[in-house]
């Protein structure tokens, strides 16, 4: 494993930390570990909790099962509004919220934006899901899903949608007082200019900063740290988006992310805010 430059600080930071973006087996894509292995690693480092994310199969029931196994860390479930659950389907959203989903993601691999950028699910023939109608307004079913998220005091995340869709969803969600995550703003498919990130932060949106983007050398650690400094750590949270086969495990990725941000001049307290305080607010 990568040699941590700030090992003592990182190990202290891991205690009580959250990772609200992990991918585990069973899945439709190769994964490096299953839910139970993820929980074992979370307990090893005394983490507080992890979010199970699956693009095609919602995870609230898996989280419930994981939480019956005696782990000290807590698993949280989520659902993604992809075609596998009917796309922008308020009935599906309500059922998974009833089962305890803490985050509802807007479409990811089945969004039109993702398909036009790079088609990940080769088994579908759809042109992809759009959140806006022909006049540029959010479709009624999106608004219905947002109202359900508010009712269940959950969080909405933008997923892999376009810049325009992200702005529209974030604006409508914040008008309703919903906790709102801008997802993946540093990844080429969903890249959001820093000025738009700042605009959304001014509305109360929290910005997801992912080890995925740094770990795959899509952006530099220096650039990542700079965006966090510009937005303010109090408006961001750190997560890994790890669990892909052949990559470091999520817990390792989170430690590497913490270490990289400390090396780039962020303080212990700022990293703590983004891995403890802000994620705790998201999951309530």
């Amino acid at each position: 494993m990568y040699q941590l430059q700030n090992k003592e600080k990182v190990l202290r930071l891991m205690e009580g930390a959250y990772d609200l973006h992990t991918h585990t087996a069973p899945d439709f894509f190769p994964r490096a570990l299953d839910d139970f292995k993820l929980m074992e690693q979370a307990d090893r480092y005394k983490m507080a909790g992890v979010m199970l994310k699956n693009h095609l199969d919602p995870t609230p029931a898996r989280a419930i099962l994981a939480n019956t196994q005696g782990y000290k860390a807590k698993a949280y479930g989520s659902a993604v509004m992809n075609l596998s659950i009917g796309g922008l389907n308020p009935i599906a959203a309500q059922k998974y919220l009833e089962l305890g989903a803490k985050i509802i993601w807007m479409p990811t691999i089945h969004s039109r934006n993702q398909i036009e950028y790079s088609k990940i699910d080769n088994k579908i023939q759809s042109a992809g899901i759009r959140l806006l109608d022909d006049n540029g307004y959010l479709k009624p079913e999106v608004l219905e899903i947002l109202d359900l998220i508010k009712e269940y005091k959950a969080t909405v995340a933008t997923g892999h949608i376009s810049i325009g869709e992200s702005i529209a969803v974030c604006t409508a969600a914040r008008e309703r007082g919903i906790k709102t995550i801008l997802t993946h703003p540093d990844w080429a498919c969903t890249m959001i200019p820093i000025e738009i990130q700042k605009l959304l932060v001014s509305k109360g949106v929290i910005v997801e900063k992912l080890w995925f983007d740094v770990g795959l050398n899509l952006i530099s650690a220096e650039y990542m740290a700079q965006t966090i400094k510009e937005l303010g750590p109090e408006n961001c949270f750190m997560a890994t988006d790890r669990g892909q086969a052949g990559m470091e495990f999520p817990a390792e990725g989170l430690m590497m992310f913490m270490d990289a941000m400390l090396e780039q001049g962020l303080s212990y307290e700022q990293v703590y805010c983004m891995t403890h305080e802000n994620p705790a607010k998201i999951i309530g």
Side-chain angles (χ1 to χ4, degrees), residues 41-174:
Q41 292 186 355
D43 271 6
R44 181 185 307 166
Y45 294 104
K46 302 178 182 178
M47 295 176 64
V50 290
M51 176 64 66
L52 309 178
K53 182 180 181 184
N54 186 306
H55 292 293
L56 301 175
D57 185 25
T59 61
R62 286 167 51 177
I64 292 170
L65 178 60
N67 289 331
T68 67
Q69 303 305 300
Y71 302 111
K72 292 182 179 179
K74 187 170 182 180
Y76 297 95
S78 62
V80 187
M81 297 285 95
N82 282 324
L83 293 171
S84 51
I85 61 170
L88 301 173
N89 182 354
I91 294 174
Q94 182 170 22
K95 293 305 179 185
Y96 291 114
L97 286 163
E98 285 181 6
L99 207 54
K102 292 293 185 181
I103 297 178
I104 299 293
W105 268 277
M106 288 295 121
T108 56
I109 64 173
H110 291 162
S111 71
R112 184 172 300 178
N113 181 64
Q114 172 68 77
I115 289 172
E116 290 178 349
Y117 174 79
S118 176
K119 190 174 182 181
I120 295 174
D121 186 354
N122 292 318
K123 294 182 179 179
I124 65 159
Q125 302 303 315
S126 170
I129 303 167
R130 282 276 293 164
L131 275 62
L132 304 177
D133 62 22
D134 292 340
N135 296 314
Y137 296 104
L138 286 171
K139 294 177 179 177
E141 53 266 40
V142 178
L143 299 177
E144 189 175 347
I145 291 168
L146 289 178
D147 289 338
L148 287 165
I149 294 169
K150 179 178 181 178
E151 179 183 346
Y152 286 87
K153 297 180 173 61
T155 298
V156 64
T158 54
H160 296 184
I161 57 181
S162 68
I163 293 177
E165 290 170 304
S166 294
I167 294 171
V169 167
C170 288
T171 300
R174 291 305 302 147

Side-chain angles (χ1 to χ4, degrees), residues 163-202:
I163 293 177
E165 290 170 304
S166 294
I167 294 171
V169 167
C170 288
T171 300
R174 291 305 302 147
E175 286 174 351
R176 287 163 169 75
I178 299 168
K179 291 178 288 187
T180 307
I181 295 170
L182 179 65
T183 313
H184 262 307
D186 307 302
W187 179 40
C189 176
T190 49
M191 182 72 73
I192 306 286
I194 190 65
E195 294 307 318
I196 295 179
Q197 293 185 49
K198 289 179 180 178
L199 172 65
L200 296 176
V201 160
S202 74

Side-chain angles (χ1 to χ4, degrees), residues 186 209-210 214 219-228 261:
D186 307 302
K209 295 295 177 178
L210 295 175
V214 179
I219 61 170
S220 67
E222 180 181 13
Y223 176 81
M224 174 64 79
Q226 184 59 40
T227 67
I228 291 171
M261 294 302 96

